[in-house]
Amino acid sequence: MFLLIPAAGVGKRMGAKGNKLLLKLQDKPLLAWTLINAEKSQEIEWIGIMGQPYDFKEFTQIIKQLSLTKPVTLIKGGDTRQQSVYNGLQALPSHAQKVLIHDGARCLATPELFDRCAKALDNCQGLIAAIPVKDTIKIVDENKTVIDSPNRDYLWAAQTPQGFDVELLKQCHNQGLELGWEVTDDAALLERCGYSVQIVEGEETNLKVTTPMDLTIAEFILNHGKV
């Protein structure tokens, strides 16, 4: 199984001056934790990291310090996550048939989750890790007036990894590029192209580190051995 990690963003909501994946969680950068868990996965055999070239020196140092046994390729990312994934798809080895895409900021995803998603790809063309929504969700208009309260039984919060047939995802990315679609995850491209996307049960601890509070929560999770 091939893994692509978008890691080209800037942590604006984190208040970071540069790439938030270089911020420390305990004694390691966020990206290091993501790579450690990917390394432990029994299914993943190759890792590609999409980033900005000015971060590659630090990415290389992280990879070297971890002494990873799996090959890691650094790939020039784009201005958006969508562009970065597009670039990553073009850089996959030619024999890659299935791919997992995992946000580097979800640094606590377990090896078991990677493996579960990889195995589930044997039976579908596209999937996302997700967990049931606990809160009641409100849909509002431009004046912040509630206009609907959807049934929580049908609501799931999307996570990553997300997994896809490589050729199908390339096709959907190309269509999105031609039609000017802007999406926040790759599953949305498949949905717009009329393909079904399956759910794989995610993990409560698989949070996306976006704000300083998220970093504190991730620290708490690690300190209490929940991952």
Side-chain angles (χ1 to χ4, degrees), residues 19-31:
N19 195 323
K20 69 180 176 185
L21 297 187
L22 299 175
L23 295 176
K24 293 291 182 71
L25 175 59
Q26 290 190 349
D27 61 340
K28 298 181 181 68
L30 294 180
L31 180 60

Side-chain angles (χ1 to χ4, degrees), residues 182-204:
E182 293 184 8
V183 297
T184 55
D185 74 356
D186 297 279
L189 285 173
L190 261 71
E191 295 161 24
R192 287 199 182 189
C193 291
Y195 296 100
S196 61
V197 177
Q198 300 297 309
I199 292 289
V200 173
E201 189 85 25
E203 298 170 335
E204 293 283 350

Side-chain angles (χ1 to χ4, degrees), residues 68-82:
L68 301 177
T69 62
K70 299 175 180 178
V72 180
T73 299
L74 298 181
I75 303 160
K76 186 178 184 300
D79 294 331
T80 66
R81 183 188 188 280
Q82 187 173 340

Side-chain angles (χ1 to χ4, degrees), residues 92-103:
L92 284 172
S94 59
H95 61 284
Q97 296 182 335
K98 305 283 187 177
V99 64
L100 294 180
I101 299 168
H102 182 66
D103 293 334

Side-chain angles (χ1 to χ4, degrees), residues 141-169:
D141 62 17
E142 63 276 6
N143 298 315
K144 297 185 179 178
T145 300
V146 174
I147 57 176
D148 194 15
S149 299
N151 187 339
R152 191 169 59 193
D153 293 341
Y154 299 100
L155 298 176
W156 288 66
Q159 301 181 339
T160 62
Q162 300 190 356
F164 307 94
D165 175 270
V166 170
E167 289 307 315
L168 179 62
L169 185 57

